[in-house]
């Protein structure tokens, strides 16, 4: 099992087709709008049905602001490394540090040769790739003295001037499958980028082992190499196979890949806008929650057991004296719920706030470990993300009013939120609002509300009320969407749209504060599952 501890990121793998040249650009912009971290395009310069990938990346960089960009992967035999290095650095500077460099040794050699490239054997391809990486890194190393000098068998640089340096440390990700390429990845690269469809069972574990060993031999940490994965799949109401089923199944499978195979970047190959929205809005946050929960769980038999009174072992299984576990420190609850500021934008009242029940008063003598307090703080962190999204919605509406964006773009953002709310009533830990339910296992074993009801029956009135409010907020979100639709057809629909968003602010912010007030202490005391 390998978990290298990297934060999870999610991206799209788009077809650079030229039949409708605006479509890949629009899909890239949509990827950014729905919250994906990365947009990638395949690079096949010999394919006449495709746009040139580096020209497309430049155009997309100018039409986006946040999302990172990369070829997936760059066809090195048709991209001279010194020129490629300057292209990447230039686009990284122009885009504000958003470029990464996926590299491949080449595969379709008939087509490459037809375009003027040199046909290479697999071994030659690996040696050519290593020479290219050396040239690229030297071009970027503007602080080194002298010109770039690489006397390679396939690529040469004999005094080329260095620069420009990229705006950030551009990652070099290799599309590797065979042992020699995997070893090169461990020695020289920043990431491993295979496609799941080309892998056999056990290939990820075998690849990780080769990369880790090569990294260690080169004096590097295995964690220096990020593990990325191109994936394909289909969303369906019921499970029909790997990555073919509901979003809960997708999240469970991706979380397993993260925790057991070390994958920290998942890149979805799809040109379907609905797939991209669902991947960003449902699969990505659910996968992050599962992985975060597992990473936060202390190993069995460690400090937690000792704190609960379990005697320390005198020795481990091999007879070696075991270190005495350190007792977990505890203190008063320091997690502070976000107060309701009392500001209301709308005259409409969806519920009677005065009728909200309160839970049991906390025990003033109770103390909480750092792990217990982290669980409570996580709820607030997720809520802060929702508050930030709400501020974004207000900003979108103002942009529509000012004519800076069209209503379709704004509606795409709102619909992403609306899609998330469809499963609020299941009440999973930290997904009661914007984070949707992930897997059947999560629903049954990690669901916050049922757990709290069982653990402390005094919380039942509070939890019942929170679930009622989930339904009400869902209706309010649908009202925002209806107002957006009406705005298209009604010249004076801005007032209705603002009113709907104001009501959303009132209900959601009030609800988040109420939930934090009532559940922060029980989560710390009882745990999330």
């Amino acid at each position: 099992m390998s978990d290298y501890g990297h934060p999870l990121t999610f991206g799209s793998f788009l077809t650079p087709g030229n039949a409708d040249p605006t479509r890949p650009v629009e899909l890239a912009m949509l990827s950014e709008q729905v919250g994906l971290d990365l947009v990638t395009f395949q690079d096949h310069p010999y394919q006449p049905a495709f746009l040139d990938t580096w020209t497309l990346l430049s155009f997309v960089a100018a039409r986006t602001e946040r999302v990172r960009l990369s070829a997936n992967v760059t066809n090195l035999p048709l991209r001279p490394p010194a020129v490629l290095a300057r292209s990447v650095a230039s686009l990284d500077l122009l885009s504000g540090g958003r470029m990464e460099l996926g590299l491949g040794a080449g595969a379709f050699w008939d087509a490459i040769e037809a375009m003027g490239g040199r046909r290479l054997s697999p071994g030659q391809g690996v040696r050519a790739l290593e020479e290219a990486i050396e040239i690229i890194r030297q071009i970027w190393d503007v602080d080194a003295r002298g010109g770039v000098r690489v006397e390679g068998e396939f690529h040469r640089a004999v005094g080329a001037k260095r620069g420009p340096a990229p705006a950030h440390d551009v990652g070099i990700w290799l599309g590797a499958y065979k042992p020699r390429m995997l070893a090169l990845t461990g020695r020289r690269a920043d990431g491993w980028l295979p496609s799941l469809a080309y892998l056999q069972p056990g290939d990820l574990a075998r690849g990780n082992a080769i990369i880790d060993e090569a990294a260690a031999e080169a004096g590097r940490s295995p964690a220096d190499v990020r593990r990325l994965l191109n994936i394909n799949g289909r969303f369906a109401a019921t499970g029909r196979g790997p990555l073919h089923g509901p979003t809960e199944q997708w999240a469970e499978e991706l979380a397993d890949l993260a925790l057991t195979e070390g994958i920290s970047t998942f890149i979805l190959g799809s040109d379907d806008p609905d797939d991209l929205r669902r991947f960003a809005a449902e699969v990505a946050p659910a996968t992050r929650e599962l992985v975060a929960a597992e990473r936060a769980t202390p190993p069995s038999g460690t400090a937690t057991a000792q704190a609960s009174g379990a005697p320390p072992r005198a020795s481990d299984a091999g007879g070696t004296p075991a270190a005495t576990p350190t007792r977990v420190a505890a203190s008063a609850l320091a997690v502070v719920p976000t107060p309701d500021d009392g500001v209301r934008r709308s005259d409409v009242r969806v519920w009677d706030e005065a009728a909200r029940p309160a839970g049991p008063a906390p025990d003033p003598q109770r103390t909480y470990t750092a792990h217990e307090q982290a669980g409570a703080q996580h709820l607030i962190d997720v809520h802060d993300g929702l508050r930030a999204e709400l501020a974004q919605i207000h900003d979108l509406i103002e942009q529509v009013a000012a004519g800076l964006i069209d209503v379709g773009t704004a509606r795409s953002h709102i619909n992403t939120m609306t899609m998330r709310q469809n499963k609020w009533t299941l009440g999973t830990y930290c997904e009661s609002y914007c984070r949707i339910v992930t897997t059947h296992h999560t629903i049954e074993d990690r669901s916050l509300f049922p757990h709290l009801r069982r653990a402390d029956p005094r919380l039942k009135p509070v939890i019942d009320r929170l679930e009622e409010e989930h339904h009400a907020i869902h209706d309010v979100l649908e009202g925002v969407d209806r107002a957006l639709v009406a705005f298209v057809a009604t010249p004076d629909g801005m007032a209705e749209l603002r009113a709907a968003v104001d009501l959303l602010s009132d209900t959601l912010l009030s609800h988040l504060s109420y939930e934090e007030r009532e559940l922060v202490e029980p989560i710390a005391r009882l745990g999330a599952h």
Side-chain angles (χ1 to χ4, degrees):
M1 294 179 63
S2 301
D3 177 9
Y4 301 94
H6 296 134
L8 299 192
T9 57
F10 297 82
S12 59
F13 187 8
L14 307 176
T15 305
N18 59 28
D20 179 1
T22 64
R23 181 168 174 76
V25 178
E26 291 169 349
L27 289 173
M29 295 171 66
L30 175 65
S31 297
E32 179 173 77
Q33 291 166 9
V34 299
L36 292 176
D37 307 291
L38 175 69
V39 170
T40 69
F41 298 97
Q42 54 190 291
D43 181 33
H44 296 288
Y46 39 75
Q47 173 54 267
F50 287 174
L51 296 166
D52 173 70
T53 295
W54 279 94
T55 305
L56 175 60
L57 285 168
S58 299
F59 197 87
V60 168
R63 299 292 300 274
T64 55
E65 297 179 352
R66 177 193 57 80
V67 73
R68 291 183 298 144
L69 304 168
S70 179
N72 190 349
V73 287
T74 303
N75 189 294
L76 181 63
L78 294 174
R79 309 279 187 187
V83 177
L84 178 63
R86 291 204 169 115
S87 297
V88 174
S90 298
L91 195 48
D92 196 55
L93 291 165
L94 290 167
S95 66
R98 293 190 287 125
M99 294 304 302
E100 309 295 348
L101 178 57
L103 273 179
F108 301 99
W109 292 106
D110 288 344
I112 290 170
E113 196 171 38
M115 290 283 287
R118 177 180 174 183
R119 182 185 292 270
L120 302 177
S121 69
Q124 290 174 327
V126 175
R127 296 199 300 275
L129 180 56
E130 186 158 17
E131 294 169 3
I133 292 173
E134 180 61 28
I135 290 173
I136 290 168
R137 293 202 187 279
Q138 286 198 34
I139 290 284
W140 292 345
D141 186 6
V142 296
D143 294 328
R145 298 183 61 182
V148 176
R149 294 194 176 275
V150 175
E151 290 287 348
E153 180 183 358
F154 305 97
H155 300 293
R156 298 175 65 245
V158 289
K161 294 186 181 299
R162 299 174 185 268
H168 85 297
D169 290 332
V170 172
I172 296 179
W173 304 334
L174 301 190
Y177 298 91
K178 301 297 184 181
R180 281 177 293 191
M181 277 284 284
L182 292 165
L184 174 60
T185 303
R187 291 195 308 272
R188 301 299 308 274
D190 305 298
W192 177 30
L193 177 53
S195 294
L196 186 59
Y198 296 157
L199 298 173
Q200 299 298 318
D203 281 354
L204 284 173
R206 286 187 286 270
N208 278 331
I210 295 172
I211 290 170
D212 293 353
E213 181 179 358
E217 290 177 353
R220 310 176 71 200
S221 166
D224 291 342
V225 183
R226 175 178 280 272
R227 318 302 158 111
L228 308 93
L229 188 64
N230 294 318
I231 60 173
N232 296 88
R234 295 185 64 183
F235 292 106
T238 58
R240 300 177 182 178
L243 293 181
H244 188 174
T247 55
E248 295 89 342
Q249 175 189 330
W250 278 62
E252 182 181 43
E253 293 177 7
L254 297 189
D256 183 66
L257 286 168
L259 295 166
T260 63
E261 307 291 359
I263 306 301
S264 57
T265 297
F266 297 97
I267 308 172
L268 177 63
S270 177
D271 297 321
D272 186 330
D274 290 337
D275 284 352
L276 298 177
R277 291 188 181 98
R278 186 170 292 182
F279 187 61
E282 301 186 30
V283 176
T287 305
R288 286 189 175 106
E289 291 297 337
L290 281 178
V291 171
E294 189 67 25
R295 286 174 173 173
T297 302
S300 60
T302 58
T304 300
Q306 177 65 11
S308 65
R313 295 177 300 158
S315 64
D316 61 18
T320 303
T324 301
T326 303
R327 188 174 296 274
V328 176
S331 62
L333 186 63
V335 181
V336 180
T338 306
D340 186 344
D341 61 12
V343 174
R344 299 294 180 264
R345 299 168 176 259
S346 173
D347 294 331
V348 178
R349 297 291 178 264
V350 173
W351 50 58
D352 180 4
E353 295 180 359
R356 283 170 166 163
D363 178 358
Q365 303 303 316
R366 176 69 153 82
T367 59
Y368 308 84
T369 67
H371 180 68
E372 290 171 334
Q373 300 207 42
Q377 182 62 49
H378 193 44
L379 179 68
I380 295 175
D381 293 342
V382 172
H383 285 185
D384 286 345
L386 287 172
R387 294 180 179 105
E389 280 196 339
L390 189 56
Q392 184 184 26
I393 289 177
H394 278 286
D395 181 62
L396 286 169
I397 299 307
E398 294 308 315
Q399 289 186 56
V400 171
L404 299 177
I405 62 173
D406 60 47
V407 71
T409 300
R411 190 182 179 200
S412 174
H413 283 280
I414 306 299
N415 280 346
T416 298
M417 281 193 68
T418 305
M419 210 172 6
R420 293 170 176 172
Q421 313 315 317
N422 288 339
K423 297 186 179 180
W424 277 8
T425 55
L426 293 174
T428 305
Y429 173 53
C430 289
E431 296 170 15
S432 305
Y433 309 98
C434 190
R435 307 301 190 208
I436 47 82
V437 174
T438 56
T439 64
H440 184 260
H441 178 76
T442 304
I443 296 170
E444 290 189 343
D445 298 334
R446 302 185 182 180
S447 180
L448 175 65
F449 287 178
H451 164 70
L452 293 180
R453 277 197 187 96
R454 291 190 301 269
D456 189 344
R458 298 174 298 171
L459 291 169
K460 183 179 183 303
V462 170
I463 293 169
D464 288 347
R465 173 62 185 244
L466 289 169
E467 288 184 336
E468 291 173 6
E469 293 189 6
H470 291 169
H471 287 285
I473 295 170
H474 171 66
D475 293 340
V476 171
L477 272 165
E478 289 191 333
V480 173
D481 191 55
R482 288 193 297 271
L484 280 163
V485 174
F487 181 74
V488 177
T490 307
D492 58 351
M494 179 53 69
E496 180 183 351
L497 182 56
R498 280 203 174 103
V501 175
D502 287 347
L503 182 59
L504 175 62
S505 289
D506 290 352
T507 53
L508 183 58
L509 294 178
S510 169
H511 175 79
L512 297 181
S513 293
Y514 172 52
E515 175 154 345
E516 289 178 19
R517 186 188 78 197
E518 297 300 330
L519 294 191
V520 159
E521 191 279 334
I523 289 172
R525 172 167 48 92
L526 303 170
H529 54 80

